[in-house]
Amino acid sequence: MTGLSSLLSSLADGSVEVIDLTAPLQSSTPILMLPEPFGQTWPFELEEISRYDERGPGWYWNNFRTGEHTGTHFDAPVHWATSHGGEDVSQVAPSRLVGPAAVLDFVEQAAHDPDFLLEIDHITAWQDEHGPLPDGGWLLYRTGWDARSHSQEEFLNANETGPHTPGISVECARWLAEEAPIVGVGVETVGTDAGSAHSFEPAFPCHSFLLGAGKYGLTQLRNLAQLPAQGAVLIAAPLPIVGGSGSPARVLAFVERPGGA
Ligand code: MN
């Protein structure tokens, strides 16, 4: 059997399952809120063109309007000043959008400390147990934050000192950008950086180092609990917006289910 026909028969018999890692896109989808005087992204909005009525008797369709960085979305290198004219989202090679995924679970730590930061030592310890991060693949950082995505307030978890959501330390972000063999980092939160990363040195290190190194970000993922620590294959499918800094994306994972469904 060829690789693709083997994949199709595995999908048909349930020994490979497709998991949707994408948050539904709707007006209540949480979005990033920046403090004054910074510009703001638009939430997702649908505007009806016709619905089997006088505006279009046989058809239903909508216009939509939203920021590039809404819901489950892809960060392209050009999003950050450190990429110095890096790829826009339409320029990302399709082969970079399909790859292996490692899932690192820090749900317990994030439950105790919403400002929890992933450190190089955490990854080293994880690799001792599960093997190396996948070459040309993704580090998916599970924090349990997907359970909060029904509420903008719970998702951003802000108080008078700003948002409090888990992220990645400066040293770890630098290591992931410069040393790790991955193409990108995926998270469950509204952005790849910690809620408090505005005060880091440099600020927003995940964006700064990873996008600066030509790597990618994926945000607001869900259902990571259904993925194994190693062995899933991820498909990230942002829209090829010409000149775009990112795009809402459908993100799927192929997962082996030994013995089938
Ligand atoms: Mn983004």
Side-chain angles (χ1 to χ4, degrees), residues 69 73 75 79:
H69 298 254
H73 73 268
D75 286 351
H79 181 40

Side-chain angles (χ1 to χ4, degrees), residues 13 77 107 115 119 128 134 139-140 146 153 161 188 204 248 256:
D13 71 17
V107 172
D115 293 309
E119 301 283 357
D128 288 344
L139 185 162
L140 304 182
D146 58 342
E153 202 185 332
T161 62
E188 295 176 343
F204 308 108
E256 301 256 20

Side-chain angles (χ1 to χ4, degrees), residues 126-254:
W126 183 91
Q127 291 191 124
D128 288 344
E129 190 179 345
H130 299 284
L133 291 177
D135 199 4
W138 292 85
L139 185 162
L140 304 182
Y141 177 27
R142 175 153 161 70
T143 54
W145 227 254
D146 58 342
R148 297 168 173 251
S149 65
H150 61 279
S151 154
Q152 166 92 11
E153 202 185 332
E154 284 183 43
F155 202 63
L156 298 189
N157 197 38
N159 61 16
E160 62 288 350
T161 62
H164 296 276
T165 60
I168 297 175
S169 77
V170 170
E171 292 69 27
C172 188
R174 190 198 308 271
W175 183 85
L176 288 169
E178 294 172 5
E179 311 286 335
I182 56 170
V183 295
V185 168
V187 299
E188 295 176 343
T189 42
V190 76
T192 53
D193 269 299
S196 57
H198 55 87
S199 64
F200 293 4
E201 186 51 51
F204 308 108
C206 231
H207 286 83
S208 183
F209 291 126
L210 276 124
L211 301 179
K215 294 184 175 183
Y216 311 118
L218 278 175
T219 69
Q220 218 170 312
L221 300 172
R222 56 169 55 191
N223 295 331
L224 295 183
Q226 297 180 45
L227 270 51
Q230 291 266 34
V233 174
L234 185 119
I235 300 174
L239 299 175
I241 300 168
V242 175
S245 73
S247 164
R250 195 71 182 253
V251 183
L252 304 173
F254 287 143

Side-chain angles (χ1 to χ4, degrees), residues 40-103:
Q40 298 296 337
T41 186
W42 292 340
F44 184 82
E45 287 170 27
L46 272 188
E47 179 201 67
E48 196 172 274
I49 304 171
S50 72
R51 191 168 188 130
Y52 329 122
D53 53 25
E54 70 285 351
R55 299 168 300 170
W59 51 92
Y60 166 56
W61 58 343
N62 301 294
N63 290 314
F64 68 83
R65 146 179 160 134
T66 196
E68 293 168 331
H69 298 254
T70 302
T72 302
H73 73 268
F74 187 96
D75 286 351
V78 72
H79 181 40
W80 222 253
T82 49
S83 81
H84 304 290
E87 288 175 323
D88 72 46
V89 70
S90 73
Q91 294 169 328
V92 177
S95 61
R96 304 259 285 174
L97 298 175
V98 180
V103 182

